[in-house]
Amino acid sequence: MTTLKKSDHAAVPFWRDERYLKIIIQVVVVVLVVLAAIYLVRNLLTGLEDLGIPLSFKFLGIESQFDIGESLIEYSRTSTYARALLVGILNTIKVSFLGIVFATIFGIIVGIARLSKNWLINKLAAIYVEALRNIPLLVFLIFLSTSVFHKLPRVNEALSAWGWAYLTNRGIYVVWPQPSAGWDVYKWFLLGSFIIGLIVAIIKYREGVRTGRMPLYWLWGMVVFVVLAVVSWFIALFIAGQPMYLDFPSLQGRNFKGGKSLTPEFMAIFTGLVVYTSAFIAEIVRAGIQAVSKGQREAATALGLSGFQTMRLVIFPQALRVIIPPMTSQYLNLTKNSSLAIAVGYPDLFAVGSTIINQAGRAVEVILIMMGVYLTFSLLTSLFMNWYNKHTRLVER
Amino acid sequence: MSRKVLIVLLVLVIAALAVAACGGKQTPAPTEEAAATQPPAATEQTAAQPTEKPAEQPAAQEGEGTLATVKARGKIICGVNQAVPGFGFLQPDGSFAGFDIDFCKALSAAVFGSPDKVEYRPLNAKQRFTALQSGEIDVLIRNTTWTLTRDTELGANFAPTTFYDGQGIMVRKDSGIKTLEDLQGASICVSSGTTTELNLADQMAARGIEYTPVVFETADETTGAYLDGRCDAYTTDKSGLVARQSMFPNPEEHMILDETLSKEPLGPVVRHGDDQWFDIVKWMVFATFQAEESGVTSQNVDEMKNSDVPTIRKLLGVEGDMGQKLGLDNAWAYNIIKQVGNYAEIYDRNLGPDTVFNLPRGMNSSWKDGGLLYSPPFR
């Protein structure tokens, strides 16, 4: 019997042996996927070859020959395509970074407001969330661009705030400090004041830890910094002349000049992203807060903490653990959604990239670069958020 | 049950490996690949089919050319504009009309003997070359400027210019802007991916005029921003400016500066690598030029068939085999003229004195009238 069984077992060919089959299936799938990829890539390369435009990144060194409306770095039509892409990348970073910061702030405020016992605040927050979460972002952006920012007063009828700020459909202009003669000296004073302020704050904090009575260490540091900065202003004024002056915007020729300006294109994409994403963040924050058990709040109240203290010291730190993972995906969404800037004319990476596709005819190459850049942004964001998540999660002993 | 599925899968992989192995040694010859997989047993053949299919399609396209593809499909896919009245415009009833559209119709008349076998594919300035390169469209007739870079790097072949244009600038009459120099410090609205975007940068740099470009995707967005006062000026081809102005709520409040920033020869475009199709598109345009020069119109084309003038007889396919040399019917040019008209008719129908645009012919006259339209001989 036993010998028969053994020979039977040996007779089972490998394609009927489950142990081998499991491996074979996996190999099959991998081979199929790789073959499909090879076919697609080869198809692309031979296709481009046939058109006489083989894959090449040499075009990045050629003069771009077009102008870009707004740029954080020096850029002109004689700059290279690579630099044009860099302008786009920086513009994307600008709108994404500011967008994430402001969306978080608004989102937290609205999220807490939705839990308010005040009927009006509660309902307003609910309307904000439900309305904005349910309008497609592109529709909202085009509405902002064509119906809000382009419909602001024209340049010669600009709305003015006592000459300190102007609101027009060419942008928002605000007064802004500009470095002047004494700046070279003053910037070192300013740095020194900051460092001293920081040191004072750290000393006060350590003192608090040692004595168990925590002083307002951040206020200490700030006061020291401000006092030193003001004093050194006059020293710099005495040594090298006025360190900074206020640059007031004024109508020169056809446009405002001076001060700090924000274009309507930037305002449209920025406002759109912030408002849209903050509606989602508000829901995440609300869910996070509601996930903290009722006993925690009651315990905090029993200890005699005020409403604000309960929120800041007890509820929110615990809610954060629930909030962070879904928050990460909202940040990623915001960064990726910033590519909709093309619809409102803001020169972000995608808008500049598409112009290059057309002017240089390098569709595949530019799309590859753009995908690479967005992927890098997203991976860096999640890397940071994962690190932060680890940092704040419940420590179990 | 599941084991049978697994065996089928296994057979599939072996077949696929065979395809890949052959492909690796013998580079781009998809027909050979297909042949190599055929000998194995009948079961393997059926299994190999899904992997074979995609390989066959490019072969069909490369081997037979655009004309065959178009004929097999039964219609031409023509990349056009939908937002420039007079040139390419999507009308309220859903049909397309305009100068460029009529050349799509002329091409259809030449290939099929009927002007209606066209599928119009509206494209914006940025999509157009990718659509052409990828084979999504057969021909691009969308007020496209002929430049060296586009001719070479974009893999495009330009047929004869159908409209000689130049870039202009539109401003509000009450803005006080009279010349380019008055635009110092101005914001200028422009559509992205156009030659006008580049010319603007060139011209302003050459004259040392500082300006801010405000760039939008489509012509509608660009003019919308200009009308809202986001920009002091709006720039595109002069013909385009005239056409857009006709759509403005108050056209009389705007004016076009006299200065011309650039040369903008606009014409049909095909992709590199299909000379026969390129020839057809070229001679379709020349036929409209020649018909005007010889005085053949859609009205008198039937009488003209009895003409004694050799050029007209050759043009209309009465003698010689001009059509066959292009791979078409000998009555190809007759069909164009009969069904769409000669160049003058096409021009007058869309841009002439009876239209709101009333654009003077200028450079776009036959060479006999001092213009630039000149057809090589039909012989």
PDB file of all heavy atoms in Angstrom, chain A residues 36-57 362-368 371, chain B residues 28 58 62 130 133-134:
ATOM      1  N   ALA A  36       3.884  42.922 -21.723  1.00  0.00           N
ATOM      2  CA  ALA A  36       3.002  44.016 -22.118  1.00  0.00           C
ATOM      3  C   ALA A  36       3.758  45.332 -22.065  1.00  0.00           C
ATOM      4  O   ALA A  36       3.674  46.157 -22.991  1.00  0.00           O
ATOM      5  CB  ALA A  36       1.783  44.063 -21.205  1.00  0.00           C
ATOM      6  N   ALA A  37       4.537  45.530 -20.992  1.00  0.00           N
ATOM      7  CA  ALA A  37       5.299  46.768 -20.853  1.00  0.00           C
ATOM      8  C   ALA A  37       6.316  46.893 -21.979  1.00  0.00           C
ATOM      9  O   ALA A  37       6.435  47.950 -22.620  1.00  0.00           O
ATOM     10  CB  ALA A  37       5.997  46.792 -19.497  1.00  0.00           C
ATOM     11  N   ILE A  38       7.038  45.793 -22.261  1.00  0.00           N
ATOM     12  CA  ILE A  38       8.046  45.830 -23.327  1.00  0.00           C
ATOM     13  C   ILE A  38       7.386  46.164 -24.652  1.00  0.00           C
ATOM     14  O   ILE A  38       7.861  47.011 -25.411  1.00  0.00           O
ATOM     15  CB  ILE A  38       8.773  44.468 -23.428  1.00  0.00           C
ATOM     16  CG1 ILE A  38       9.668  44.262 -22.206  1.00  0.00           C
ATOM     17  CG2 ILE A  38       9.612  44.397 -24.706  1.00  0.00           C
ATOM     18  CD1 ILE A  38      10.344  42.906 -22.171  1.00  0.00           C
ATOM     19  N   TYR A  39       6.227  45.535 -24.898  1.00  0.00           N
ATOM     20  CA  TYR A  39       5.543  45.802 -26.159  1.00  0.00           C
ATOM     21  C   TYR A  39       5.176  47.277 -26.281  1.00  0.00           C
ATOM     22  O   TYR A  39       5.418  47.911 -27.310  1.00  0.00           O
ATOM     23  CB  TYR A  39       4.282  44.948 -26.276  1.00  0.00           C
ATOM     24  CG  TYR A  39       3.427  45.386 -27.425  1.00  0.00           C
ATOM     25  CD1 TYR A  39       3.840  45.140 -28.737  1.00  0.00           C
ATOM     26  CD2 TYR A  39       2.272  46.123 -27.222  1.00  0.00           C
ATOM     27  CE1 TYR A  39       3.101  45.585 -29.803  1.00  0.00           C
ATOM     28  CE2 TYR A  39       1.519  46.572 -28.286  1.00  0.00           C
ATOM     29  CZ  TYR A  39       1.936  46.303 -29.584  1.00  0.00           C
ATOM     30  OH  TYR A  39       1.226  46.764 -30.638  1.00  0.00           O
ATOM     31  N   LEU A  40       4.616  47.846 -25.204  1.00  0.00           N
ATOM     32  CA  LEU A  40       4.163  49.237 -25.256  1.00  0.00           C
ATOM     33  C   LEU A  40       5.339  50.184 -25.464  1.00  0.00           C
ATOM     34  O   LEU A  40       5.275  51.109 -26.271  1.00  0.00           O
ATOM     35  CB  LEU A  40       3.412  49.593 -23.972  1.00  0.00           C
ATOM     36  CG  LEU A  40       2.030  48.943 -23.837  1.00  0.00           C
ATOM     37  CD1 LEU A  40       1.440  49.233 -22.480  1.00  0.00           C
ATOM     38  CD2 LEU A  40       1.099  49.436 -24.936  1.00  0.00           C
ATOM     39  N   VAL A  41       6.433  49.952 -24.728  1.00  0.00           N
ATOM     40  CA  VAL A  41       7.595  50.831 -24.845  1.00  0.00           C
ATOM     41  C   VAL A  41       8.193  50.733 -26.249  1.00  0.00           C
ATOM     42  O   VAL A  41       8.511  51.746 -26.879  1.00  0.00           O
ATOM     43  CB  VAL A  41       8.649  50.479 -23.772  1.00  0.00           C
ATOM     44  CG1 VAL A  41       9.945  51.208 -24.044  1.00  0.00           C
ATOM     45  CG2 VAL A  41       8.131  50.841 -22.390  1.00  0.00           C
ATOM     46  N   ARG A  42       8.294  49.487 -26.758  1.00  0.00           N
ATOM     47  CA  ARG A  42       8.871  49.318 -28.098  1.00  0.00           C
ATOM     48  C   ARG A  42       8.002  49.981 -29.155  1.00  0.00           C
ATOM     49  O   ARG A  42       8.483  50.608 -30.093  1.00  0.00           O
ATOM     50  CB  ARG A  42       9.023  47.831 -28.413  1.00  0.00           C
ATOM     51  CG  ARG A  42      10.435  47.352 -28.217  1.00  0.00           C
ATOM     52  CD  ARG A  42      10.603  45.988 -28.801  1.00  0.00           C
ATOM     53  NE  ARG A  42      10.021  45.894 -30.139  1.00  0.00           N
ATOM     54  CZ  ARG A  42       9.899  44.756 -30.810  1.00  0.00           C
ATOM     55  NH1 ARG A  42      10.300  43.646 -30.259  1.00  0.00           N
ATOM     56  NH2 ARG A  42       9.370  44.735 -32.001  1.00  0.00           N
ATOM     57  N   ASN A  43       6.693  49.831 -28.965  1.00  0.00           N
ATOM     58  CA  ASN A  43       5.746  50.440 -29.883  1.00  0.00           C
ATOM     59  C   ASN A  43       5.940  51.952 -29.915  1.00  0.00           C
ATOM     60  O   ASN A  43       5.979  52.581 -30.975  1.00  0.00           O
ATOM     61  CB  ASN A  43       4.327  50.094 -29.427  1.00  0.00           C
ATOM     62  CG  ASN A  43       3.286  50.649 -30.356  1.00  0.00           C
ATOM     63  OD1 ASN A  43       3.455  50.586 -31.571  1.00  0.00           O
ATOM     64  ND2 ASN A  43       2.236  51.206 -29.807  1.00  0.00           N
ATOM     65  N   LEU A  44       6.096  52.551 -28.728  1.00  0.00           N
ATOM     66  CA  LEU A  44       6.299  53.995 -28.617  1.00  0.00           C
ATOM     67  C   LEU A  44       7.588  54.409 -29.301  1.00  0.00           C
ATOM     68  O   LEU A  44       7.608  55.331 -30.122  1.00  0.00           O
ATOM     69  CB  LEU A  44       6.342  54.390 -27.135  1.00  0.00           C
ATOM     70  CG  LEU A  44       6.791  55.824 -26.852  1.00  0.00           C
ATOM     71  CD1 LEU A  44       5.682  56.779 -27.211  1.00  0.00           C
ATOM     72  CD2 LEU A  44       7.178  55.991 -25.403  1.00  0.00           C
ATOM     73  N   LEU A  45       8.685  53.689 -28.975  1.00  0.00           N
ATOM     74  CA  LEU A  45       9.998  54.085 -29.505  1.00  0.00           C
ATOM     75  C   LEU A  45      10.036  53.964 -31.021  1.00  0.00           C
ATOM     76  O   LEU A  45      10.503  54.870 -31.702  1.00  0.00           O
ATOM     77  CB  LEU A  45      11.104  53.232 -28.867  1.00  0.00           C
ATOM     78  CG  LEU A  45      11.330  53.513 -27.386  1.00  0.00           C
ATOM     79  CD1 LEU A  45      12.426  52.615 -26.840  1.00  0.00           C
ATOM     80  CD2 LEU A  45      11.695  54.970 -27.160  1.00  0.00           C
ATOM     81  N   THR A  46       9.528  52.834 -31.565  1.00  0.00           N
ATOM     82  CA  THR A  46       9.569  52.697 -33.023  1.00  0.00           C
ATOM     83  C   THR A  46       8.640  53.715 -33.672  1.00  0.00           C
ATOM     84  O   THR A  46       8.941  54.252 -34.721  1.00  0.00           O
ATOM     85  CB  THR A  46       9.170  51.273 -33.461  1.00  0.00           C
ATOM     86  OG1 THR A  46       7.971  50.920 -32.781  1.00  0.00           O
ATOM     87  CG2 THR A  46      10.244  50.263 -33.157  1.00  0.00           C
ATOM     88  N   GLY A  47       7.509  53.986 -33.018  1.00  0.00           N
ATOM     89  CA  GLY A  47       6.579  54.980 -33.553  1.00  0.00           C
ATOM     90  C   GLY A  47       7.233  56.345 -33.673  1.00  0.00           C
ATOM     91  O   GLY A  47       7.137  57.022 -34.704  1.00  0.00           O
ATOM     92  N   LEU A  48       7.936  56.752 -32.613  1.00  0.00           N
ATOM     93  CA  LEU A  48       8.621  58.045 -32.632  1.00  0.00           C
ATOM     94  C   LEU A  48       9.737  58.043 -33.670  1.00  0.00           C
ATOM     95  O   LEU A  48       9.960  59.036 -34.367  1.00  0.00           O
ATOM     96  CB  LEU A  48       9.189  58.357 -31.252  1.00  0.00           C
ATOM     97  CG  LEU A  48       8.173  58.752 -30.181  1.00  0.00           C
ATOM     98  CD1 LEU A  48       8.844  58.873 -28.831  1.00  0.00           C
ATOM     99  CD2 LEU A  48       7.501  60.065 -30.544  1.00  0.00           C
ATOM    100  N   GLU A  49      10.424  56.892 -33.769  1.00  0.00           N
ATOM    101  CA  GLU A  49      11.509  56.763 -34.738  1.00  0.00           C
ATOM    102  C   GLU A  49      10.977  56.976 -36.166  1.00  0.00           C
ATOM    103  O   GLU A  49      11.556  57.681 -36.976  1.00  0.00           O
ATOM    104  CB  GLU A  49      12.125  55.366 -34.617  1.00  0.00           C
ATOM    105  CG  GLU A  49      13.578  55.277 -35.045  1.00  0.00           C
ATOM    106  CD  GLU A  49      14.512  55.645 -33.900  1.00  0.00           C
ATOM    107  OE1 GLU A  49      14.300  55.184 -32.765  1.00  0.00           O
ATOM    108  OE2 GLU A  49      15.453  56.393 -34.156  1.00  0.00           O
ATOM    109  N   ASP A  50       9.828  56.364 -36.443  1.00  0.00           N
ATOM    110  CA  ASP A  50       9.208  56.485 -37.766  1.00  0.00           C
ATOM    111  C   ASP A  50       8.867  57.928 -38.096  1.00  0.00           C
ATOM    112  O   ASP A  50       8.908  58.351 -39.244  1.00  0.00           O
ATOM    113  CB  ASP A  50       7.930  55.639 -37.844  1.00  0.00           C
ATOM    114  CG  ASP A  50       8.260  54.161 -37.897  1.00  0.00           C
ATOM    115  OD1 ASP A  50       9.436  53.846 -38.135  1.00  0.00           O
ATOM    116  OD2 ASP A  50       7.346  53.343 -37.688  1.00  0.00           O
ATOM    117  N   LEU A  51       8.476  58.696 -37.076  1.00  0.00           N
ATOM    118  CA  LEU A  51       8.125  60.096 -37.299  1.00  0.00           C
ATOM    119  C   LEU A  51       9.372  60.964 -37.415  1.00  0.00           C
ATOM    120  O   LEU A  51       9.284  62.151 -37.679  1.00  0.00           O
ATOM    121  CB  LEU A  51       7.261  60.609 -36.154  1.00  0.00           C
ATOM    122  CG  LEU A  51       5.803  60.175 -36.143  1.00  0.00           C
ATOM    123  CD1 LEU A  51       5.145  60.596 -34.845  1.00  0.00           C
ATOM    124  CD2 LEU A  51       5.058  60.806 -37.309  1.00  0.00           C
ATOM    125  N   GLY A  52      10.542  60.377 -37.176  1.00  0.00           N
ATOM    126  CA  GLY A  52      11.783  61.153 -37.228  1.00  0.00           C
ATOM    127  C   GLY A  52      11.996  61.997 -35.996  1.00  0.00           C
ATOM    128  O   GLY A  52      12.742  62.976 -36.034  1.00  0.00           O
ATOM    129  N   ILE A  53      11.326  61.692 -34.876  1.00  0.00           N
ATOM    130  CA  ILE A  53      11.554  62.445 -33.642  1.00  0.00           C
ATOM    131  C   ILE A  53      11.827  61.468 -32.495  1.00  0.00           C
ATOM    132  O   ILE A  53      10.999  61.270 -31.624  1.00  0.00           O
ATOM    133  CB  ILE A  53      10.378  63.381 -33.294  1.00  0.00           C
ATOM    134  CG1 ILE A  53       9.036  62.684 -33.562  1.00  0.00           C
ATOM    135  CG2 ILE A  53      10.439  64.665 -34.052  1.00  0.00           C
ATOM    136  CD1 ILE A  53       7.831  63.481 -33.107  1.00  0.00           C
ATOM    137  N   PRO A  54      13.015  60.817 -32.506  1.00  0.00           N
ATOM    138  CA  PRO A  54      13.320  59.831 -31.467  1.00  0.00           C
ATOM    139  C   PRO A  54      13.389  60.477 -30.079  1.00  0.00           C
ATOM    140  O   PRO A  54      13.621  61.673 -29.955  1.00  0.00           O
ATOM    141  CB  PRO A  54      14.684  59.286 -31.877  1.00  0.00           C
ATOM    142  CG  PRO A  54      15.273  60.321 -32.742  1.00  0.00           C
ATOM    143  CD  PRO A  54      14.143  61.011 -33.421  1.00  0.00           C
ATOM    144  N   LEU A  55      13.175  59.645 -29.068  1.00  0.00           N
ATOM    145  CA  LEU A  55      13.186  60.109 -27.674  1.00  0.00           C
ATOM    146  C   LEU A  55      14.539  60.734 -27.336  1.00  0.00           C
ATOM    147  O   LEU A  55      15.573  60.111 -27.512  1.00  0.00           O
ATOM    148  CB  LEU A  55      12.923  58.908 -26.762  1.00  0.00           C
ATOM    149  CG  LEU A  55      12.328  59.186 -25.390  1.00  0.00           C
ATOM    150  CD1 LEU A  55      10.932  59.744 -25.525  1.00  0.00           C
ATOM    151  CD2 LEU A  55      12.307  57.913 -24.565  1.00  0.00           C
ATOM    152  N   SER A  56      14.510  61.987 -26.872  1.00  0.00           N
ATOM    153  CA  SER A  56      15.757  62.656 -26.524  1.00  0.00           C
ATOM    154  C   SER A  56      15.463  63.820 -25.600  1.00  0.00           C
ATOM    155  O   SER A  56      14.450  64.503 -25.746  1.00  0.00           O
ATOM    156  CB  SER A  56      16.446  63.164 -27.793  1.00  0.00           C
ATOM    157  OG  SER A  56      17.231  64.287 -27.508  1.00  0.00           O
ATOM    158  N   PHE A  57      16.348  64.029 -24.631  1.00  0.00           N
ATOM    159  CA  PHE A  57      16.134  65.116 -23.680  1.00  0.00           C
ATOM    160  C   PHE A  57      17.035  66.313 -23.988  1.00  0.00           C
ATOM    161  O   PHE A  57      17.176  67.205 -23.183  1.00  0.00           O
ATOM    162  CB  PHE A  57      16.353  64.619 -22.253  1.00  0.00           C
ATOM    163  CG  PHE A  57      15.230  63.751 -21.768  1.00  0.00           C
ATOM    164  CD1 PHE A  57      15.268  62.382 -21.940  1.00  0.00           C
ATOM    165  CD2 PHE A  57      14.112  64.321 -21.170  1.00  0.00           C
ATOM    166  CE1 PHE A  57      14.212  61.587 -21.513  1.00  0.00           C
ATOM    167  CE2 PHE A  57      13.058  63.539 -20.746  1.00  0.00           C
ATOM    168  CZ  PHE A  57      13.112  62.170 -20.918  1.00  0.00           C
ATOM    169  N   ARG A 362       7.883  67.949 -27.888  1.00  0.00           N
ATOM    170  CA  ARG A 362       8.445  66.817 -27.138  1.00  0.00           C
ATOM    171  C   ARG A 362       7.426  66.310 -26.128  1.00  0.00           C
ATOM    172  O   ARG A 362       7.628  66.424 -24.914  1.00  0.00           O
ATOM    173  CB  ARG A 362       9.721  67.263 -26.427  1.00  0.00           C
ATOM    174  CG  ARG A 362      10.834  67.637 -27.377  1.00  0.00           C
ATOM    175  CD  ARG A 362      11.387  66.399 -27.997  1.00  0.00           C
ATOM    176  NE  ARG A 362      12.331  66.702 -29.066  1.00  0.00           N
ATOM    177  CZ  ARG A 362      12.888  65.768 -29.801  1.00  0.00           C
ATOM    178  NH1 ARG A 362      12.585  64.505 -29.598  1.00  0.00           N
ATOM    179  NH2 ARG A 362      13.726  66.069 -30.756  1.00  0.00           N
ATOM    180  N   ALA A 363       6.327  65.757 -26.612  1.00  0.00           N
ATOM    181  CA  ALA A 363       5.232  65.373 -25.721  1.00  0.00           C
ATOM    182  C   ALA A 363       5.672  64.312 -24.719  1.00  0.00           C
ATOM    183  O   ALA A 363       5.519  64.476 -23.511  1.00  0.00           O
ATOM    184  CB  ALA A 363       4.052  64.878 -26.537  1.00  0.00           C
ATOM    185  N   VAL A 364       6.255  63.219 -25.230  1.00  0.00           N
ATOM    186  CA  VAL A 364       6.563  62.092 -24.352  1.00  0.00           C
ATOM    187  C   VAL A 364       7.569  62.492 -23.272  1.00  0.00           C
ATOM    188  O   VAL A 364       7.385  62.214 -22.084  1.00  0.00           O
ATOM    189  CB  VAL A 364       7.102  60.917 -25.182  1.00  0.00           C
ATOM    190  CG1 VAL A 364       7.410  59.743 -24.281  1.00  0.00           C
ATOM    191  CG2 VAL A 364       6.086  60.518 -26.229  1.00  0.00           C
ATOM    192  N   GLU A 365       8.621  63.193 -23.705  1.00  0.00           N
ATOM    193  CA  GLU A 365       9.667  63.557 -22.759  1.00  0.00           C
ATOM    194  C   GLU A 365       9.121  64.465 -21.661  1.00  0.00           C
ATOM    195  O   GLU A 365       9.384  64.248 -20.471  1.00  0.00           O
ATOM    196  CB  GLU A 365      10.816  64.282 -23.485  1.00  0.00           C
ATOM    197  CG  GLU A 365      11.609  63.418 -24.439  1.00  0.00           C
ATOM    198  CD  GLU A 365      11.019  63.390 -25.840  1.00  0.00           C
ATOM    199  OE1 GLU A 365       9.806  63.665 -25.979  1.00  0.00           O
ATOM    200  OE2 GLU A 365      11.751  63.096 -26.795  1.00  0.00           O
ATOM    201  N   VAL A 366       8.365  65.508 -22.057  1.00  0.00           N
ATOM    202  CA  VAL A 366       7.872  66.469 -21.073  1.00  0.00           C
ATOM    203  C   VAL A 366       6.889  65.792 -20.122  1.00  0.00           C
ATOM    204  O   VAL A 366       6.942  66.010 -18.905  1.00  0.00           O
ATOM    205  CB  VAL A 366       7.224  67.682 -21.769  1.00  0.00           C
ATOM    206  CG1 VAL A 366       6.617  68.622 -20.744  1.00  0.00           C
ATOM    207  CG2 VAL A 366       8.256  68.427 -22.598  1.00  0.00           C
ATOM    208  N   ILE A 367       6.034  64.928 -20.645  1.00  0.00           N
ATOM    209  CA  ILE A 367       5.081  64.238 -19.779  1.00  0.00           C
ATOM    210  C   ILE A 367       5.832  63.356 -18.781  1.00  0.00           C
ATOM    211  O   ILE A 367       5.488  63.294 -17.597  1.00  0.00           O
ATOM    212  CB  ILE A 367       4.102  63.378 -20.613  1.00  0.00           C
ATOM    213  CG1 ILE A 367       3.275  64.261 -21.538  1.00  0.00           C
ATOM    214  CG2 ILE A 367       3.214  62.537 -19.709  1.00  0.00           C
ATOM    215  CD1 ILE A 367       2.044  64.859 -20.947  1.00  0.00           C
ATOM    216  N   LEU A 368       6.901  62.689 -19.254  1.00  0.00           N
ATOM    217  CA  LEU A 368       7.701  61.859 -18.343  1.00  0.00           C
ATOM    218  C   LEU A 368       8.276  62.712 -17.218  1.00  0.00           C
ATOM    219  O   LEU A 368       8.220  62.334 -16.042  1.00  0.00           O
ATOM    220  CB  LEU A 368       8.840  61.178 -19.109  1.00  0.00           C
ATOM    221  CG  LEU A 368       8.462  59.940 -19.922  1.00  0.00           C
ATOM    222  CD1 LEU A 368       9.657  59.426 -20.693  1.00  0.00           C
ATOM    223  CD2 LEU A 368       7.921  58.857 -19.010  1.00  0.00           C
ATOM    224  N   MET A 371       5.477  63.755 -14.800  1.00  0.00           N
ATOM    225  CA  MET A 371       5.053  62.656 -13.925  1.00  0.00           C
ATOM    226  C   MET A 371       6.088  62.432 -12.843  1.00  0.00           C
ATOM    227  O   MET A 371       5.749  62.227 -11.669  1.00  0.00           O
ATOM    228  CB  MET A 371       4.840  61.378 -14.733  1.00  0.00           C
ATOM    229  CG  MET A 371       3.626  61.451 -15.630  1.00  0.00           C
ATOM    230  SD  MET A 371       3.057  59.838 -16.195  1.00  0.00           S
ATOM    231  CE  MET A 371       4.445  59.263 -17.126  1.00  0.00           C
TER     232      MET A 371
ATOM    233  N   PRO B  28      11.951  45.813 -35.626  1.00  0.00           N
ATOM    234  CA  PRO B  28      10.579  46.105 -36.064  1.00  0.00           C
ATOM    235  C   PRO B  28      10.095  45.474 -37.365  1.00  0.00           C
ATOM    236  O   PRO B  28      10.142  46.098 -38.417  1.00  0.00           O
ATOM    237  CB  PRO B  28      10.547  47.624 -36.151  1.00  0.00           C
ATOM    238  CG  PRO B  28      11.976  48.038 -36.151  1.00  0.00           C
ATOM    239  CD  PRO B  28      12.724  46.984 -35.421  1.00  0.00           C
ATOM    240  N   PRO B  58      -0.238  48.251 -36.228  1.00  0.00           N
ATOM    241  CA  PRO B  58       0.693  49.219 -36.810  1.00  0.00           C
ATOM    242  C   PRO B  58       1.165  48.802 -38.199  1.00  0.00           C
ATOM    243  O   PRO B  58       1.358  49.638 -39.069  1.00  0.00           O
ATOM    244  CB  PRO B  58       1.843  49.262 -35.801  1.00  0.00           C
ATOM    245  CG  PRO B  58       1.599  48.163 -34.834  1.00  0.00           C
ATOM    246  CD  PRO B  58       0.196  47.771 -34.934  1.00  0.00           C
ATOM    247  N   GLU B  62       1.302  51.191 -41.433  1.00  0.00           N
ATOM    248  CA  GLU B  62       2.547  51.551 -42.113  1.00  0.00           C
ATOM    249  C   GLU B  62       2.533  51.102 -43.562  1.00  0.00           C
ATOM    250  O   GLU B  62       2.893  51.845 -44.452  1.00  0.00           O
ATOM    251  CB  GLU B  62       3.734  50.892 -41.390  1.00  0.00           C
ATOM    252  CG  GLU B  62       4.199  51.672 -40.187  1.00  0.00           C
ATOM    253  CD  GLU B  62       5.068  50.818 -39.294  1.00  0.00           C
ATOM    254  OE1 GLU B  62       5.834  49.998 -39.831  1.00  0.00           O
ATOM    255  OE2 GLU B  62       4.987  50.966 -38.061  1.00  0.00           O
ATOM    256  N   THR B 130       0.189  67.159 -31.310  1.00  0.00           N
ATOM    257  CA  THR B 130       0.178  65.818 -30.720  1.00  0.00           C
ATOM    258  C   THR B 130      -0.867  64.963 -31.425  1.00  0.00           C
ATOM    259  O   THR B 130      -0.635  63.784 -31.706  1.00  0.00           O
ATOM    260  CB  THR B 130      -0.130  65.903 -29.221  1.00  0.00           C
ATOM    261  OG1 THR B 130       0.502  67.063 -28.701  1.00  0.00           O
ATOM    262  CG2 THR B 130       0.373  64.694 -28.502  1.00  0.00           C
ATOM    263  N   GLN B 133       0.672  63.996 -34.784  1.00  0.00           N
ATOM    264  CA  GLN B 133       1.767  63.029 -34.626  1.00  0.00           C
ATOM    265  C   GLN B 133       1.248  61.648 -34.289  1.00  0.00           C
ATOM    266  O   GLN B 133       1.727  60.646 -34.790  1.00  0.00           O
ATOM    267  CB  GLN B 133       2.705  63.478 -33.489  1.00  0.00           C
ATOM    268  CG  GLN B 133       3.603  64.629 -33.845  1.00  0.00           C
ATOM    269  CD  GLN B 133       4.273  65.196 -32.599  1.00  0.00           C
ATOM    270  OE1 GLN B 133       3.984  64.814 -31.483  1.00  0.00           O
ATOM    271  NE2 GLN B 133       5.194  66.127 -32.810  1.00  0.00           N
ATOM    272  N   SER B 134       0.244  61.590 -33.416  1.00  0.00           N
ATOM    273  CA  SER B 134      -0.217  60.299 -32.929  1.00  0.00           C
ATOM    274  C   SER B 134      -1.154  59.612 -33.906  1.00  0.00           C
ATOM    275  O   SER B 134      -1.590  58.498 -33.649  1.00  0.00           O
ATOM    276  CB  SER B 134      -0.919  60.482 -31.590  1.00  0.00           C
ATOM    277  OG  SER B 134      -2.056  61.277 -31.779  1.00  0.00           O
TER     278      SER B 134
END
